[in-house]
Amino acid sequence: IFSPPLICAPLCYHGKTLGALLMCGKRQGTNFSDDEMTIASNLSNQIAIAFENARLNADIEQTYFETMAALAMAVEARDPYSRGHSDRVGEYAQKIGIHMGLSEECIKILRDASRLHDVGKIGIMDSILTKEGTLNNDEADVMKQHPTIGESILMPLKTFRPLLDPVRHHHENLVGSGYPDGLSGEAITPITRILTIADIYDALTTDRPYRKAMD
């Protein structure tokens, strides 16, 4: 597979070997020069640093995701009526997506968006979030801010970009009377529609401060 001459430069970072850079088949000359070996060594060092940076970024983004998920669970802990809501929505949305034959990537977006779709409620005061009975107009307007609050929380990391649309728009509806943007019809993506249906289904089939669960 490898034709001489051959250079094998380890990809090392802080004493840990991440792989190796192999170069062979030099067209001119029989051996690599000292300058060429120095270049290979420098290149392997830069590649090792790039690999480690990528790993650290992935760890940071996963940690941020878990932090956001913990915030979403904290919201549910404030409201006894919504405990387990995000997990149930995720289960329903995932089943719908699988039944529709969506790709694994779309299923993952559905699963993650379901866990975080109500994270914006962390910014809604308890007097509104856990109010017994129907919200008045002013209170309803405050509650309607939670999708945009959630979007703003998730926006800093590019990994969350596929989640921004379903998180922001999971209270839109096909006839355009939803919020926050009044989207209608095809303007609402299929993933957002699935999340919306799963969210509504769980809301209807569980006890809420303003009514008992439907059968």
Side-chain angles (χ1 to χ4, degrees):
I1 299 176
F2 300 108
S3 57
L6 169 68
I7 289 180
C8 180
L11 308 180
C12 295
Y13 186 84
H14 287 183
K16 181 170 62 176
T17 301
L18 307 177
L21 172 65
L22 285 81
M23 293 180 288
C24 65
K26 184 179 179 184
R27 295 182 180 179
Q28 296 180 346
T30 56
N31 294 308
F32 287 99
S33 68
D34 290 343
D35 286 343
E36 289 169 333
M37 287 190 285
T38 298
I39 291 172
S41 177
N42 291 337
L43 181 59
S44 68
N45 289 335
Q46 292 302 313
I47 293 173
I49 291 171
F51 281 173
E52 184 65 12
N53 285 341
R55 186 191 67 80
L56 290 173
N57 286 337
D59 288 347
I60 290 170
E61 294 190 357
Q62 181 61 29
T63 299
Y64 192 81
F65 176 84
E66 294 301 333
T67 301
M68 295 305 101
L71 280 177
M73 291 180 64
V75 171
E76 294 186 4
R78 292 162 60 196
D79 180 7
Y81 290 94
S82 66
R83 286 176 187 168
H85 170 69
S86 294
D87 288 340
R88 291 191 300 271
V89 170
E91 180 182 352
Y92 300 144
Q94 187 169 331
K95 287 181 177 179
I96 295 170
I98 292 172
H99 183 75
M100 292 178 65
L102 299 187
S103 68
E104 181 57 37
E105 179 182 1
C106 289
I107 298 297
K108 183 180 185 303
I109 292 172
L110 270 173
R111 187 166 57 244
D112 291 346
S114 296
R115 289 183 68 186
L116 301 180
H117 74 284
D118 275 342
V119 68
K121 287 183 178 178
I122 199 74
I124 306 300
M125 61 192 73
D126 284 345
S127 60
I128 294 177
L129 189 64
T130 62
K131 179 181 177 180
E132 298 280 346
T134 304
L135 301 178
N136 63 39
N137 290 338
D138 290 339
E139 292 167 339
D141 287 341
V142 172
M143 180 64 84
K144 288 178 180 179
Q145 294 174 16
H146 81 268
T148 54
I149 295 173
E151 180 192 38
S152 67
I153 291 173
L154 302 179
M155 196 173 289
L157 289 186
K158 63 181 180 181
T159 301
F160 288 163
R161 286 176 187 168
L163 310 183
L164 298 182
D165 178 78
V167 168
R168 180 182 177 91
H169 294 131
H170 70 277
H171 281 290
E172 304 286 356
N173 64 55
L174 293 179
V175 297
S177 58
Y179 61 87
D181 299 316
L183 300 183
S184 62
E186 296 301 317
I188 307 172
T189 65
I191 286 179
T192 300
R193 295 186 195 190
I194 293 172
L195 174 58
T196 300
I197 290 169
D199 186 37
I200 292 172
Y201 178 78
D202 186 68
L204 293 176
T205 56
T206 55
D207 289 337
R208 293 289 161 136
Y210 45 88
R211 58 149 178 78
K212 289 294 184 180
M214 299 181 182
D215 60 26

